[in-house]
């Protein structure tokens, strides 16, 4: 189930407990066991573990391998992927910008990056100085340099995105779409509606099935309320998020041939 489905499950679990504790009021407690959300995106697709293996077997270079790992292991949005910068990447996490919400207007959040995605990201930084997308015609940078929001006040790199912002290069998102479409087509797993976001849709199921908690699944996906913002950037909280990502993030697809392919591709950086 998706995020809404998991919230519905929590509410129904509470109602069942309420009925057991207060049977005299049971007739007033709604039964949500059969409740479902209408599918507003009937063509939305996920990419399964076995399909990710086949996609990784089709990559043409280390840059593509790294981008697929980041999409699959972090569940980042396409726009967030295109804002990862080396100067804003820390120990197994990076600052990213993406979809704004009522709780988080500029879309800035910490993105936990487990192994081996983090190791391959560092190899990309060592080879190119930033995250790139490569094809036969050359390399395309994904993230622009950080932009200072108020030149008069300058920038404080410790203020977690209050004085600066990173934006994708024009056309970077389309480059990711083109890459994913080619890879899933070549791998023979393409279905209508499949794209970069398909790994994000598959993330929660794999994370929960591996033993991860709903709460940290939501945080790793960037789903949080205004009351969470203050705690989100605490060093201890980021460490917990990184720990949960390292332990429960999808990685089953990295059993052979994934890791073997990764070692072979490292020499092409």
């Amino acid at each position: 189930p998706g995020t809404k489905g998991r919230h519905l499950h929590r509410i129904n679990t509470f109602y069942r407990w309420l009925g057991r504790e207060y049977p005299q009021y049971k007739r007033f407690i709604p039964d949500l066991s059969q409740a479902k959300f209408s599918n507003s995106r009937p063509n939305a697709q996920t990419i399964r573990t076995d399909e990710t293996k086949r996609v990784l077997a089709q990559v043409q270079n280390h840059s593509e391998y790294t981008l697929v790992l980041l999409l699959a292991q972090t569940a980042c949005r396409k726009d967030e992927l295109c804002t990862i910068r080396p100067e804003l990447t820390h120990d197994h996490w990076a600052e990213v910008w993406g979809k704004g919400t009522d709780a988080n207007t500029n879309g800035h959040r910490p993105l936990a990056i487990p192994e081996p995605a983090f190791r391959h990201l560092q190899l990309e930084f060592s080879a190119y100085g930033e995250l790139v997308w490569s094809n036969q015609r050359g390399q395309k940078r994904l993230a622009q340099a950080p932009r200072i929001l108020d030149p008069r006040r300058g920038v404080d790199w410790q203020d977690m995105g209050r004085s600066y912002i990173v934006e994708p290069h024009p056309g970077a998102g389309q480059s990711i779409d083109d890459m994913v479409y080619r890879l899933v087509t070549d791998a023979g797993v393409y279905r209508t509606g499949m794209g970069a976001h398909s790994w994000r849709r598959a993330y929660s199921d794999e994370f929960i099935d591996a033993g991860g908690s709903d709460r940290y699944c939501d945080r790793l996906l960037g789903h949080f309320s205004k009351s969470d913002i203050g705690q989100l950037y605490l060093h201890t909280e980021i460490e917990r998020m990184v720990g949960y990502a390292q332990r429960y993030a999808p990685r089953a697809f990295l059993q052979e041939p994934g890791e073997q392919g990764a070692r072979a591709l490292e020499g092409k950086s």
Side-chain angles (χ1 to χ4, degrees), residues 7-252:
H7 286 313
L8 181 63
H9 175 72
R10 291 174 187 158
I11 295 171
N12 199 38
T13 300
F14 169 72
Y15 281 160
R16 287 201 301 270
W17 170 85
L18 202 61
R20 291 195 303 270
E21 292 293 313
Y22 302 96
Q24 66 272 30
Y25 299 119
K26 193 169 184 178
R27 61 194 179 94
F28 299 108
I29 300 173
D31 180 9
L32 301 180
S33 58
Q34 303 301 318
K36 293 182 180 180
F37 288 101
S38 61
N39 189 358
S40 59
R41 291 172 295 181
N43 291 328
Q45 300 287 345
T46 61
I47 298 181
R48 303 187 303 267
T49 292
D50 60 309
E51 294 172 334
T52 302
K53 284 184 180 182
R54 294 168 65 177
V55 169
L56 287 171
Q58 298 299 321
V59 299
Q60 296 181 351
N61 50 58
H62 185 263
S63 295
E64 289 188 352
Y65 190 90
T66 302
L67 293 172
V68 172
L69 278 188
L70 288 168
L71 288 168
Q73 284 203 287
T74 70
C76 63
R77 298 178 178 92
K78 177 180 59 180
D79 290 344
E80 292 174 337
L81 177 67
C82 297
T83 61
I84 296 176
R85 294 283 308 178
E87 60 268 49
L88 298 174
T89 298
H90 312 279
D91 184 11
H92 289 84
W93 67 279
E95 298 177 52
V96 297
W97 284 258
K99 179 182 178 182
T101 64
D102 291 339
N104 186 17
T105 54
N106 67 357
H108 177 269
R109 71 179 181 99
L111 178 74
I113 308 176
E115 293 291 352
F118 185 77
R119 173 165 57 88
H120 289 284
L121 177 63
Q122 295 301 305
L123 288 171
E124 285 292 290
F125 288 162
S126 297
Y128 306 117
E130 58 189 323
L131 196 58
V132 302
W133 173 69
S134 303
N135 62 10
Q136 294 86 346
R137 291 173 290 184
Q139 292 152 357
K140 181 175 289 188
R141 294 180 293 173
L142 298 181
Q144 299 187 52
R147 176 168 61 85
I148 300 173
L149 295 177
D150 187 349
R152 294 173 298 178
R153 295 186 178 182
V155 61
D156 178 3
W157 297 111
Q158 304 300 317
D159 68 5
M160 293 297 179
R162 293 186 181 89
S163 62
Y164 55 92
I165 189 172
V166 174
E167 297 170 319
H169 268 286
Q174 186 60 51
S175 297
I176 298 298
D177 284 335
D178 293 343
M179 179 197 74
V180 173
Y181 177 76
R182 175 177 54 80
L183 290 175
V184 296
T185 301
D186 292 348
V189 300
Y190 176 76
R191 298 182 295 278
T192 301
M194 185 176 281
H197 208 76
S198 298
W199 277 293
R200 183 173 171 85
R201 296 189 190 104
Y203 184 92
S204 59
D205 285 347
E206 295 195 46
F207 186 90
I208 299 301
D209 288 346
S213 70
D214 283 344
R215 178 191 178 195
Y216 276 97
C217 184
D218 284 343
R219 292 207 170 187
L220 291 169
L221 288 168
H223 297 161
F224 39 79
S225 64
K226 289 184 178 180
S227 60
D228 294 328
I229 296 292
Q231 185 183 15
L232 194 65
Y233 295 103
L234 295 176
H235 182 69
T236 52
E237 184 62 17
I238 292 177
E239 281 189 340
R240 289 192 191 101
M241 290 172 62
V242 169
Y244 270 85
Q246 186 61 45
R247 186 169 182 180
Y248 300 115
R251 58 183 300 120

